[in-house]
Amino acid sequence: MRKKRKARWGRTAPVLFFMAILAGCAGRERPSVILITIDTLRADRLGCYGAPRTRTHAMDRIAAEGVLFSDCVTPVPSTSPSHATILSGLYPRSHGLRENGAPLGEDVPLLSEAMRREGYATVAFVSGFPLLGEFGFDRGFDRFDDRLVDGFVDRDGERRGTERIAEKTVDAFLVWLEREEGPFFAWLHFFDPHSVYAAPGPFRRMYYDGRERDPANRSLEGIEIPAYHGLAGVTDVNYPIALYEGEVSYTDHQLERLLDGLERRGLADRVLLLVTGDHGESMTEHGYYFGHSHFLYEPSLHVPLLIRWPGRLPEGAIRTEPVSLVDIPATLMDLLSLGAVFPTEGRSLAPLARGEGDTREEAVFLERPRIRSAGELRGVRSGPWKYLDDPERGEELYRLDVDPEERENLIDTEAEEAARLRRMLEEHMRGDSADEEYTVDEETRKTLRGLGYVD
């Protein structure tokens, strides 16, 4: 029996933004809401974010019909902690969930609970092991579908259900949708771009026609790729990159099926749709190959954020201000003009989405949880500046508007700016509950090991 752990959000969040929107929805039909989170989704692999070859027709269409936030980051590049932030509007230091396989505290207020109190039917279809209902993500949902029927073969030869491919997730949602009549809040999670990169059918080799094990290719020479990736003997670095992009296009294709399903049911213009990723994925940047949780560089942090609401939000709008996944609950509650009081550390992006000129600078805080033998890594973004405090590698400071690839560490030449950001980070982390640790049980650890989360 897994012990339920309480987070300390009430004590550790010194500044909580309590939303009390007085304007109701009287006089108009309330829209349904679909929140789509796509695991391990780099923003720059979508056509609408400038990808040169990856086909993402559905997400490009959503961007063309809605609002695209070009500079959205996750506060933590790890599946469970990031989704806890998406659903709570709290940073990890406040909701307390720091690692995959640990439970979400029972006292953390969730968006699903607020939506149910407002009279919405609530449903979730999740597709990855770290988000199982037993870890606390089912709270507030009338129906929580976490039947994982796909997966991998572990070291003992046992097949373990660790995920569900996007096609089956969409199928399950569309079947549920046939019977639903009133306004609903639906959370759909797709796991496919997460390793192992193995898209089905033509998507698998959509972007690669070479010989991945050609001994003449030495682009992976000296690079140790963990066994769980299934890349034994591969010599061409472009092969796993292409496999990842195939997964992105496959997931997008299934999202297109979902959009078609909404249109057939006459719901396309009556749904507020938000699409995002929980974190990105490093392909080779900073010497980090095919992972996301080790560092706080942009490939692991930069995710798409698209919001489409026909007739209520602009079409084809692009907002360039830095925003965070922590802003999602406040944004949805504001857009819906709900009267619920909901504690969040994020801000509403509704004014930005509407183009109402809310361009005030907001700091975006970052952290990497403890992994293996490494300590915690923390950071903050403010305007074009990004500061990282790594107990092993030292401090780093980058100016992203002129150095988006984070190549030039300015920590020694911009001491005043570094000091300002250091103070902001220290203030944010004051009262952090990082000292609270949770021991993952052996069965959970075994599954996480097969997904590459633990040794």
Side-chain angles (χ1 to χ4, degrees):
M1 186 74 176
R2 185 167 284 105
K3 180 179 71 174
K4 294 292 185 180
R5 181 179 57 133
K6 287 188 177 182
R8 299 193 298 180
W9 68 267
R11 261 192 309 141
T12 62
V15 180
L16 291 179
F17 175 44
F18 285 88
M19 297 194 62
I21 306 300
L22 299 179
C25 295
R28 69 174 189 268
E29 180 183 1
R30 291 193 300 174
S32 292
V33 180
I34 300 179
L35 168 65
I36 295 177
T37 61
I38 303 175
D39 220 288
T40 323
L41 183 60
R42 285 176 63 130
D44 66 0
R45 279 343 191 240
L46 307 187
C48 52
Y49 280 83
R53 68 173 184 177
T54 317
R55 303 175 193 172
T56 52
H57 301 309
M59 284 182 270
D60 295 350
R61 171 184 163 190
I62 293 168
E65 297 174 353
V67 182
L68 179 153
F69 291 86
S70 65
D71 192 7
C72 179
V73 297
T74 179
V76 54
S78 185
T79 297
S80 295
S82 179
H83 278 90
T85 290
I86 291 171
L87 294 175
S88 71
L90 299 174
Y91 281 103
R93 65 89 188 257
S94 296
H95 63 59
L97 201 163
R98 293 319 237 292
E99 62 179 311
N100 294 310
L104 178 62
E106 293 177 330
D107 62 339
V108 177
L110 298 180
L111 178 63
S112 50
E113 295 174 307
M115 296 296 286
R116 186 159 67 177
R117 284 195 300 269
E118 292 292 328
Y120 282 79
T122 55
V123 62
F125 297 86
V126 303
S127 306
F129 178 80
L131 302 179
L132 290 178
E134 67 180 272
F135 299 137
F137 288 95
D138 58 351
R139 188 151 42 83
F141 289 102
D142 301 321
R143 176 179 174 184
F144 192 87
D145 186 335
D146 59 357
R147 288 171 290 182
L148 307 183
V149 294
D150 305 298
F152 66 93
V153 178
D154 68 15
R155 297 173 185 175
D156 300 323
E158 178 184 356
R159 186 167 187 83
R160 309 176 70 81
T162 56
E163 65 178 290
R164 171 172 50 187
I165 64 172
E167 179 181 4
K168 297 175 184 177
T169 301
V170 171
D171 287 347
F173 171 69
L174 293 179
V175 168
W176 174 85
L177 193 61
E178 291 283 359
R179 302 189 296 271
E180 189 57 37
E181 296 181 357
F184 61 84
F185 169 69
W187 168 33
L188 278 75
H189 164 256
F190 300 122
F191 195 67
D192 303 82
H194 193 286
S195 61
V196 175
Y197 314 140
F203 295 95
R204 182 176 178 86
R205 298 182 74 93
M206 177 177 284
Y207 303 111
Y208 189 82
D209 59 3
R211 297 172 55 209
E212 63 269 25
R213 291 177 171 81
D214 184 350
N217 192 318
R218 308 179 72 173
S219 56
L220 281 175
E221 186 175 26
I223 304 300
E224 183 177 349
I225 307 297
Y228 68 85
H229 279 288
L231 298 172
V234 171
T235 59
D236 186 358
V237 71
N238 293 307
Y239 178 64
I241 293 174
L243 290 182
Y244 171 79
E245 293 173 343
E247 289 276 31
V248 172
S249 287
Y250 165 72
T251 305
D252 182 83
H253 176 68
Q254 298 306 322
L255 181 53
E256 195 164 25
R257 290 184 55 232
L258 187 151
L259 296 178
D260 291 344
L262 291 176
E263 287 188 346
R264 288 195 302 271
R265 292 159 178 79
L267 295 174
D269 292 335
R270 295 158 48 198
V271 167
L272 169 55
L273 177 65
L274 188 151
V275 181
T276 191
D278 62 342
H279 54 73
E281 184 84 323
S282 183
M283 295 285 104
T284 61
E285 297 89 352
H286 291 266
Y288 186 24
Y289 287 70
F290 318 123
H292 47 262
S293 59
H294 284 214
F295 302 110
L296 292 178
Y297 299 120
E298 292 301 291
S300 295
L301 301 180
H302 186 202
V303 295
L305 177 59
L306 309 171
I307 307 179
R308 175 189 181 272
W309 192 8
R312 300 297 175 85
L313 291 178
E315 294 186 4
I318 299 176
R319 307 301 183 221
T320 59
E321 295 80 3
V323 301
S324 168
L325 297 183
V326 77
D327 300 324
I328 286 176
T331 301
L332 289 176
M333 298 294 282
D334 193 0
L335 286 172
L336 296 170
S337 297
L338 295 181
V341 175
F342 190 73
T344 171
E345 294 178 294
R347 61 164 170 161
S348 171
L349 303 179
L352 280 177
R354 297 188 185 107
E356 295 175 354
D358 182 4
T359 58
R360 57 200 166 102
E361 180 180 304
E362 294 281 345
V364 176
F365 296 97
L366 316 165
E367 73 168 76
R368 179 205 67 193
R370 294 188 184 100
I371 53 171
R372 298 180 173 92
S373 59
E376 292 185 346
L377 170 62
R378 294 165 175 170
V380 59
R381 285 189 55 186
S382 177
W385 295 98
K386 179 177 179 179
Y387 168 81
L388 301 177
D389 181 17
D390 189 329
E392 297 177 352
R393 299 157 63 97
E395 295 177 296
E396 298 173 69
L397 180 68
Y398 300 101
R399 180 155 181 163
L400 297 179
D401 57 343
V402 296
D403 180 24
E405 296 181 349
E406 302 162 286
R407 295 182 181 274
E408 185 180 4
N409 184 1
L410 302 175
I411 196 67
D412 294 326
T413 59
E414 298 287 347
E416 184 175 339
E417 191 62 43
R420 180 181 75 90
L421 296 175
R422 188 183 302 114
R423 288 192 298 270
M424 293 175 64
L425 182 58
E426 290 172 352
E427 177 65 26
H428 173 75
M429 298 308 301
R430 187 168 295 141
D432 177 33
S433 58
D435 58 316
E436 296 182 2
E437 294 185 4
Y438 180 81
T439 302
V440 176
D441 65 64
E442 187 52 39
E443 184 66 18
T444 299
R445 183 170 295 278
K446 185 177 182 182
T447 303
L448 292 173
R449 185 179 298 117
L451 291 168
Y453 289 121
V454 298
D455 288 330

